[in-house]
Amino acid sequence: MTIEQPLRDTSLRRAAVSRLMFLAQQNSLTTDHMTTVAEVFGVCPSSVRRWMDNAAQHNGRYTPQRPAAFALTQVMRDAVALFCGNIAAAYRDLRKRGHLGDDPVSYATFHRAVTTAYTPGFLAGLRGGEKERRKFDVHFTRDIGHRNQAWEADHVEASVWVNVNGHRRKPWITWFIDCASDAICGLSVSAQTPSRENILLAIRTAVLRGGDHGPFGGSPGLVRVDRGKDFLSDTVATAFGILGVRVVDLPPRHPELKGTVEALNRAVKTMLFPGLPGFVHAPRTSRRTKIDPAERLLTYEAFIRILLEWVHEWNHEHRIRTRDNRTPYELWHDDLTPIYDPDPEDLLFTLETHPTHLTINSDGVHWGKRHYLAPYMQGRGGTKVVLRYMPRQERTVELFDAKDGTYLGPAVLQNAANPQERSEVRSAADREAGRLRTALDKAKRQREERFEGDTIATTPRPASDMTQEQAAAFLDGHRQDELAHEARPDLIPLPDPTDTWNNTQSPAESRPGSTDPLLPPLPDPTASWNPAPLPTPSEEPTDGPHD
């Protein structure tokens, strides 16, 4: 039996020796048994005999006796930390100062003692700090879940110099990614350090769906963020509260807790930025190489356009190896979890506001070199409005009344309006003209009021005048109609019939002179009765003038 690599595991040796000791106690141990064990472990039979002797000395348990290992002292540990994990430099310094003893150990022994006392992550931390140490940590993984169950958000600084109005700057990107499908739901770009306004813009682009936003979005269940002041601001908390989204504030220096967005940050730094002009980490021929002022850089608009193209490629073409080589779009489309789409009017707080008030002119609202029109602008010429917009999506803007902040509605770019939007603007003008025509016709009819004819000089009387009796009858009928509408005959049920309702007497006995047993009896005609005297003509009451 040939063994390529000897087995050095102490536990395996202990198991084999225990079996041999049992056979020896049963007087069944043979030379073949010991030879077989020696071949398995790649040693000679005499070594197996020494193992059995060691077990006999330790109550039948194989316990190898190892020589005392070299251990690091506190001075040696301090030297390793002083030289930032450089074991060779620490060894030379200790030997030079005589801290290795009269008979100094070899460098191999010292190196083995250091690597035994410290983990690879700790040594990496001595060399590169906490960021390098975390690369050797292990952590739990979350369940994938379903779409819009959890999002993650973060800022990342672009590793590219961009020309922003003649200045070299590195833009910042704020984006939201769905943890279940790895789809980028929304983002915003800023030429300076991002703030809460950039987060609000990214929230709007992430939540809205359709059109330029794509199929990704909706209201998520929760959003994981780090402890950035902008993410924890009251404005952002209010925005998430309006949408009913729970914000999970993660502890600092734990990027593994939001690994999805951290992986996205690394991907854009390795897949997109190195191929762009002005890459910050491009190799240089010398450390003294200065920045070329004549270097052609991307403009801010071009950088955003290239970034949006890369995001579209990531969502629709990039295949994830750990997800059966499917794209984020395929993962999103195959998930049948319902999506809640909030009303776009509930997200107006996420728009940027134009600093000055604008005026509704005859051709709409002028903003820069763009003209915006909407049906509700008919008849509002000269009104001051406040314009709010979504950066990089200026096809549609939102307008508010500058006086009281009343929301007027969206306005569309005039040159980009489709035939239906143009028809709505013309229809609104026709409706406004129709309302005006109706009001003028009514006023004309009032001016042409007819009067009664007269034969003597008197005050003209309109033909529509009515008498007091007509007015009283009209009012009485109106009140009766109101009471009829308010009547509820089914509100109080009728009582059950009683015994007195059914009279079994004969008609003659029940009521003289009557054939109906249910009617009360008539008075006796033979009885004397004194009728009340009739009033004289002078005593008759009067209830009003008579014609």
Side-chain angles (χ1 to χ4, degrees), residues 25-137:
Q25 293 177 359
Q26 301 295 328
N27 296 324
S28 59
L29 180 63
T30 62
T31 306
D32 295 337
H33 293 146
M34 300 182 64
T35 303
T36 302
V37 173
E39 291 178 353
V40 170
F41 284 92
V43 296
C44 59
S46 60
S47 299
V48 178
R49 173 58 65 181
R50 287 195 301 269
W51 295 350
M52 294 180 64
D53 294 341
N54 179 277
Q57 296 175 3
H58 296 86
N59 298 326
R61 183 178 178 83
Y62 172 68
T63 306
Q65 300 296 321
R66 301 182 182 276
F70 174 75
L72 297 178
T73 63
Q74 187 61 40
V75 177
M76 299 177 183
R77 294 175 181 269
D78 294 341
V80 174
L82 177 64
F83 286 91
C84 301
N86 190 334
I87 301 177
Y91 178 79
R92 289 192 298 266
D93 181 73
L94 291 173
R95 187 169 184 174
K96 181 179 179 180
R97 292 188 298 164
H99 291 294
L100 295 178
D102 298 335
D103 186 12
V105 297
S106 64
Y107 172 72
T109 302
F110 181 77
H111 187 279
R112 182 169 57 252
V114 172
T115 54
T116 303
Y118 295 139
T119 62
F122 187 86
L123 292 176
L126 292 177
R127 300 185 187 100
E130 175 65 17
K131 182 178 180 179
E132 296 297 326
R133 187 202 65 79
R134 288 198 299 264
K135 295 180 180 180
F136 294 83
D137 288 346

Side-chain angles (χ1 to χ4, degrees), residues 533-542:
L534 296 176
T536 60
S538 61
E539 296 177 353
E540 291 183 0
T542 59

Side-chain angles (χ1 to χ4, degrees), residues 339-544:
I339 300 176
Y340 172 73
D341 293 318
D343 190 348
E345 294 185 3
D346 298 337
L347 303 176
L348 296 178
F349 59 89
T350 61
L351 299 176
E352 285 192 0
T353 304
H354 193 270
T356 59
H357 293 173
L358 304 178
T359 305
I360 298 179
N361 302 303
S362 59
D363 54 352
V365 175
H366 297 183
W367 179 34
K369 296 183 179 180
R370 303 181 180 91
H371 297 176
Y372 292 90
L373 287 176
Y376 59 82
M377 291 183 182
Q378 301 295 353
R380 294 179 178 267
T383 303
K384 296 292 184 180
V385 295
V386 176
L387 184 143
R388 307 186 72 173
Y389 63 97
M390 172 67 68
R392 303 179 307 280
Q393 296 181 10
E394 289 85 3
R395 182 184 182 277
T396 304
V397 297
E398 307 291 339
L399 298 181
F400 298 79
D401 194 333
K403 292 182 178 180
D404 52 6
T406 303
Y407 175 61
L408 300 178
V412 67
L413 188 62
Q414 180 177 354
N415 296 336
N418 55 40
Q420 181 180 358
E421 293 170 340
R422 295 175 180 271
S423 176
E424 291 178 355
V425 173
R426 290 191 293 266
S427 299
D430 295 339
R431 289 193 299 269
E432 189 73 10
R435 285 195 295 268
L436 177 61
R437 186 165 50 251
T438 301
L440 294 178
D441 292 343
K442 185 177 181 180
K444 182 179 179 181
R445 288 193 301 269
Q446 291 178 354
R447 286 193 294 268
E448 295 178 355
E449 188 175 9
R450 301 179 65 83
F451 297 91
E452 294 181 354
D454 295 299
T455 58
I456 59 175
T458 181
T459 303
R461 291 173 297 176
S464 60
D465 285 354
M466 63 176 62
T467 62
Q468 292 185 359
E469 289 78 3
Q470 291 175 338
F474 174 78
L475 295 176
D476 184 67
H478 183 67
R479 285 191 294 267
Q480 294 296 331
D481 293 339
E482 291 181 351
L483 294 176
H485 288 297
E486 296 178 359
R488 293 288 303 276
D490 57 338
L491 186 61
I492 302 177
L494 297 175
D496 297 333
T498 60
D499 298 338
T500 58
W501 287 23
N502 188 8
N503 194 345
T504 58
Q505 296 179 357
S506 63
E509 295 177 353
S510 61
R511 181 175 179 180
S514 175
T515 60
D516 191 352
L518 299 180
L519 296 177
L522 294 174
D524 189 1
T526 60
S528 60
W529 59 288
N530 296 323
L534 296 176
T536 60
S538 61
E539 296 177 353
E540 291 183 0
T542 59
D543 56 355

Side-chain angles (χ1 to χ4, degrees), residues 219-222 237-247 340:
S219 181
L222 59 90
T238 302
F240 283 125
I242 293 174
L243 299 176
V245 178
R246 183 167 63 94
V247 179
Y340 172 73

Side-chain angles (χ1 to χ4, degrees), residues 205 208-216 312 316 393 395-396:
T205 58
L208 293 178
R209 298 196 306 146
D212 298 333
H213 303 282
F216 312 101
H312 184 273
H316 295 82
Q393 296 181 10
R395 182 184 182 277
T396 304

